[in-house]
Amino acid sequence: MSKIKPSKGAPYAKIIGVGGYRPTRVVPNEVILETIDSSDEWIRSRSGIATRHWASDQETVAAMSIEASGKAIADAGLTADKIGAVIVSTVSHFKQTPAVATEIADKLGTQKAAAFDISAGCAGFGYALTLAKGMVVEGSSQYVLVIGVERLSDLTDLEDRATAFLFGDGAGAVVVGPSDEPHIGPTVWGSEGDKSETIKQTVAWTEYDSAVHKFPAITQEGQAVFRWAVFEMAKVAQQALDAAGISADDLDVFIPHQANMRIIDSMVKTLKLPEHVTVARDIETTGNTSAASIPLAMERLLATGEAKSGDTALVIGFGAGLVYAATVVTLP
């Protein structure tokens, strides 16, 4: 018989606050066209992107995260000292150690909160949200700060016609806290490592030689990724609805990873979402911000009134790995 006392966490968990930060510099397609042979019409038709935000030297991964986190904590009606853990999902913090989460936790003014980074690409927000939910229910932290943040402009090859126009920078954050009712559904997640070559860094850091290579960048096999996202991720999204015990008719909002407008529109069609469902299309002005895209899109929908507190939303992230995570949440 175990001598360990049972955990004293909450019955359930929920998102109680959200915040976002977009760098001040707005980059239109015309800037991208200075380095690739393309057109504004082609970029818009292929991706749906008109503009994106690129960070300045001062808008570091930590700085953007702190701005977004401060808004999320305030939105939750808390102070930073109440945050028990900080989880940061990013692929663009270039220090192997220490985790950028520790710097963020300190500068926010938490009281020695647990802090760590994860790397799960564009599914990173969903992964981190799932971890946060478990921590609140298990009782190790009453309030957990989840951050998705990227400076993908640092990993963009501006001469690569297939990807130069895709990526943007930014940070999104949510606070997860206790609840008496289920407001974060079961997560449907997984990986398909046999497809890992479809989205990857061009050169490993250990192999990078500035005399031989361009600075490492993100590259992808566009058509393969598109087919996988459209056909396989719609199935995962449906599984998340089933796991939550609801149908598409019960949804108010759909917030997919902002990878490509055509992917978003195809998923809406495959899932047969009713017209009343608000669909996040933040990619048009924000670009693909990987782990930051879902919380940034969530924050914008709530700020503009396109979505409201209490709405039921399906969120799904998918990307490099290939990895994916989908769940149903109640918006804060």
Side-chain angles (χ1 to χ4, degrees):
M1 183 176 178
S2 174
K3 297 180 180 179
I4 301 173
K5 293 182 180 180
S7 300
K8 294 183 179 180
Y12 304 101
K14 63 181 178 181
I15 300 173
I16 61 173
V18 60
Y21 179 81
R22 293 170 172 81
T24 55
R25 183 187 177 193
V26 177
V27 180
N29 289 337
E30 286 73 19
V31 172
I32 307 299
L33 296 175
E34 294 174 3
T35 52
I36 61 171
D37 180 16
S38 187
S39 68
D40 177 65
E41 181 183 3
W42 187 88
I43 292 174
R44 289 174 185 257
S45 65
R46 297 289 292 181
S47 67
I49 299 172
T51 61
R52 73 285 292 147
H53 296 256
W54 283 355
S56 66
D57 290 344
Q58 290 71 41
E59 292 168 317
T60 63
V61 165
M64 292 190 294
S65 297
I66 290 166
E67 290 291 333
S69 298
K71 295 175 183 178
I73 293 169
D75 189 49
L78 300 175
T79 52
D81 62 301
K82 300 297 183 183
I83 300 297
V86 178
I87 309 173
V88 176
S89 178
T90 186
V91 298
S92 49
H93 176 59
F94 291 161
K95 276 189 179 179
Q96 192 68 43
T97 193
V100 71
T102 59
E103 177 185 350
I104 295 166
D106 176 62
K107 290 185 175 178
L108 282 172
T110 68
Q111 297 299 305
K112 299 182 179 180
F116 59 96
D117 300 349
I118 65 170
S119 175
C122 304
F125 176 76
Y127 274 52
L129 182 65
T130 302
L131 295 175
K133 171 188 173 183
M135 293 161 74
V136 171
V137 172
E138 185 272 337
S140 60
S141 296
Q142 186 176 20
Y143 299 105
V144 180
L145 177 64
V146 172
I147 303 166
V149 57
E150 302 291 3
R151 273 182 54 120
L152 293 181
S153 58
D154 293 334
L155 289 168
T156 299
D157 180 354
L158 294 178
E159 296 179 345
D160 180 0
R161 190 172 184 270
T163 60
F165 56 89
L166 283 176
F167 302 119
D169 304 335
V174 301
V175 176
V176 177
S179 173
D180 292 328
E181 296 179 329
H183 288 293
I184 302 176
T187 300
V188 177
W189 58 354
S191 65
E192 297 185 33
D194 60 315
K195 300 180 180 66
S196 61
E197 291 295 300
T198 56
I199 306 175
K200 63 181 182 180
Q201 184 172 307
T202 51
V203 183
W205 295 115
T206 52
E207 299 170 358
Y208 173 60
D209 181 346
S210 60
V212 178
H213 306 114
K214 288 183 177 180
F215 191 80
I218 297 173
T219 186
Q220 68 177 28
E221 298 174 16
Q223 287 302 314
V225 173
F226 182 87
R227 289 193 297 269
W228 176 76
V230 169
F231 296 109
E232 298 303 321
M233 291 305 97
K235 297 175 186 176
V236 171
Q238 184 60 55
Q239 290 169 13
L241 290 175
D242 295 341
I246 67 173
S247 69
D249 289 338
D250 298 313
L251 278 181
D252 300 303
V253 185
F254 179 44
I255 311 177
H257 163 51
Q258 302 294 292
N260 181 298
M261 194 76 80
R262 292 190 301 148
I263 291 175
I264 294 170
D265 291 340
S266 294
M267 291 182 71
V268 168
K269 184 177 180 180
T270 302
L271 288 166
K272 298 179 180 178
L273 296 185
E275 290 187 4
H276 75 261
V277 176
T278 297
V279 179
R281 292 188 171 87
D282 194 44
I283 189 171
E284 181 179 3
T285 56
T286 307
N288 180 341
T289 56
S290 189
S293 78
I294 291 175
L296 277 174
M298 182 184 295
E299 185 263 350
R300 175 162 280 173
L301 288 176
L302 289 167
T304 60
E306 295 173 81
K308 62 183 186 300
S309 174
D311 279 353
T312 300
L314 168 63
V315 299
I316 179 170
F318 45 86
L322 293 171
V323 294
Y324 54 88
T327 189
V328 175
V329 303
T330 302
L331 296 183

